[in-house]
Amino acid sequence: MTMQTLYIHVGTHKTATTWLQHYLGKNSERLNDLGFYYPTSGRVTQAQHRLGQAIFNRKAPREKLDGIPVWERFKREISQVKYRNIVISSEEFEWVQDPSLIRKFLPDVTIRPIIYLRRQDDYIESLYGQQIRDYHPRLKQTISEYLQTSKLAFLDYQRLLQQWQTAGDQMHIRVFDKKFMKDGDVGADFLNVLGIGSAEGFEAPSGPVIDQKTNLHMEALEFMRQCNNLPMTAAQHMQLTNQVIRLDKVAAPVRDKARLRLLDFQTRQQIMERYRGMNSAISAAYPGATGLKHLFQDIADDAKVFKQASDINTFDVLLKANNLVKLG
């Protein structure tokens, strides 16, 4: 049998990973028609999260993968299908310390990691917003407080790429920016990395899981941050999140279209200066990503800054939240 190629979509987080995973799952038959297989082993919803988790959740995360049930099932599954090209996706792979374990476990498979990188200031704002919406950790901090207490080690892209070089026969480094993605679309861009030149016949995913990852307007996000100071169960928080998402969509057509950001221009400049040398080194190593000296486009002072409240009227927030979710 011809050697198989395994494309491992590593992430990173906040680069439309959930959307892409549901895109791949929804279009798995179309992928089959084109010679690609999206395995079921290790899948949680539409992503192979259990494969990554099975590596880094062990007491000895650098030990070989032989004997790990989910990895043994995965090896059997791909050995029994007729497809040369295998695709798996999970941002949990971002936390695997020694990806070379995968190469050692699958010595007869060509491995091609696919990694999307997002400009660091955008990543911080997006992750911060997601952690407000998620029940864990239900962030209450302002973004200034968040920056002061977060180490932001996940923004060390160079370390991540060096780790995955030990597993990959060929790395595919892409930048999560419409200006640099095929047709300005992450789905079309991902397919293009696989060698599929057209997204014809592929359907976009939709539904509650996709809505949960959609960015909220700053006013809606700030309301949720303030609500995180209230005692809520996971079910109540989910109900509130769904209601806020619904109302945010209703408000969208009549809302001021001015672009808003949480971080001011000076802070964003400082963040990007911190990573400038690293970004330049990545751009030099992977010139096909954007062709720009510093990997990402320079930031522009083109947005208003949304002012978060430093003092919160808890009872007022409670009254508003109670109209959406019964808390008492």
Side-chain angles (χ1 to χ4, degrees):
M1 180 178 177
T2 306
M3 178 178 284
Q4 289 177 309
T5 297
L6 172 62
Y7 294 89
I8 304 179
H9 176 218
V10 178
T12 55
H13 288 73
K14 307 314 302 175
T15 57
T17 50
T18 299
W19 189 95
L20 266 173
Q21 288 149 6
H22 282 73
Y23 184 66
L24 295 170
K26 183 172 186 176
N27 294 286
S28 59
E29 290 187 3
R30 178 63 178 146
L31 286 169
N32 293 166
D33 293 341
L34 297 170
F36 291 81
Y37 182 69
Y38 196 57
T40 59
S41 298
R43 270 210 227 176
V44 179
T45 61
Q46 297 290 3
Q48 287 82 12
H49 291 320
R50 290 196 178 98
L51 290 176
Q53 292 166 352
I55 300 176
F56 66 76
N57 279 337
R58 299 177 296 165
K59 291 182 179 179
R62 294 183 182 274
E63 286 190 358
K64 62 184 182 178
L65 305 187
D66 301 79
I68 297 179
V70 68
W71 276 98
E72 295 290 356
R73 287 197 301 273
F74 173 73
K75 180 188 279 190
R76 286 196 301 273
E77 182 180 359
I78 65 173
S79 70
Q80 292 169 0
V81 298
K82 63 183 179 180
Y83 301 98
R84 279 193 66 239
N85 299 295
I86 312 297
V87 183
I88 58 176
S89 174
S90 172
E91 58 272 38
E92 298 289 73
F93 286 119
E94 192 175 342
W95 311 131
V96 172
Q97 299 174 27
D98 187 2
S100 68
L101 295 171
I102 302 173
R103 180 196 286 273
K104 294 170 185 174
F105 183 70
L106 300 169
D108 299 323
V109 175
T110 299
I111 297 176
R112 294 189 176 184
I114 303 173
I115 303 178
Y116 280 80
L117 304 177
R118 186 168 186 171
R119 202 176 67 187
Q120 282 90 349
D121 61 319
D122 288 335
Y123 192 132
I124 290 169
E125 285 192 339
S126 182
L127 182 64
Y128 171 77
Q130 188 63 53
Q131 291 184 339
I132 287 174
R133 297 195 299 276
D134 290 345
Y135 187 69
H136 297 291
R138 291 190 78 214
L139 281 185
K140 306 174 182 65
Q141 302 166 299
T142 65
I143 197 165
S144 296
E145 294 166 341
Y146 176 73
L147 285 175
Q148 291 169 10
T149 57
S150 299
K151 295 181 180 180
L152 306 178
F154 53 84
L155 296 177
D156 186 353
Y157 297 150
Q158 200 165 28
R159 174 190 55 79
L160 177 68
L161 301 191
Q162 288 171 348
Q163 287 175 336
W164 277 92
Q165 282 173 344
T166 66
D169 298 279
Q170 180 180 345
M171 296 269 285
H172 299 276
I173 307 304
R174 307 296 300 147
V175 165
F176 186 69
D177 186 326
K178 289 183 178 180
K179 299 180 182 68
F180 302 108
M181 293 190 291
K182 181 178 172 61
D183 301 331
D185 177 79
V186 68
D189 194 79
F190 189 86
L191 294 177
N192 193 57
V193 172
L194 299 180
I196 301 172
S198 171
E200 184 179 356
F202 285 81
E203 299 179 28
S206 60
V209 174
I210 303 300
D211 288 343
Q212 285 288 329
K213 299 294 183 177
T214 302
N215 289 334
L216 290 171
H217 187 270
M218 294 299 178
E219 291 175 345
L221 187 67
E222 174 65 5
F223 174 68
M224 286 214 63
R225 181 184 74 87
Q226 294 182 22
C227 287
N228 286 348
N229 289 280
L230 305 174
M232 285 191 191
T233 64
Q236 289 171 329
H237 179 83
M238 178 62 71
Q239 187 180 353
L240 176 71
T241 301
N242 291 336
Q243 291 281 52
V244 170
I245 290 171
R246 179 181 63 82
L247 292 173
D248 192 48
K249 289 181 178 179
V250 173
V254 296
R255 184 181 287 138
D256 182 0
K257 302 302 181 184
R259 189 179 182 194
L260 296 173
R261 299 208 59 139
L262 288 168
L263 297 172
D264 61 53
F265 181 61
Q266 183 178 6
T267 301
R268 290 162 57 216
Q269 282 184 313
Q270 290 170 351
I271 290 169
M272 294 312 298
E273 187 60 36
R274 175 179 174 181
Y275 298 104
R276 181 175 292 271
M278 179 186 71
N279 291 343
S280 298
I282 293 172
S283 183
Y286 302 95
T290 62
L292 300 178
K293 181 179 180 182
H294 303 301
L295 188 61
F296 303 109
Q297 281 201 316
D298 292 336
I299 63 173
D301 189 6
D302 61 351
K304 296 180 181 178
V305 178
F306 181 83
K307 298 296 184 183
Q308 294 179 290
S310 54
D311 297 314
I312 297 172
N313 184 326
T314 304
F315 192 73
D316 182 56
V317 176
L318 177 60
L319 287 174
K320 293 175 181 176
N322 197 55
N323 286 329
L324 301 175
V325 181
K326 295 304 178 184
L327 301 176

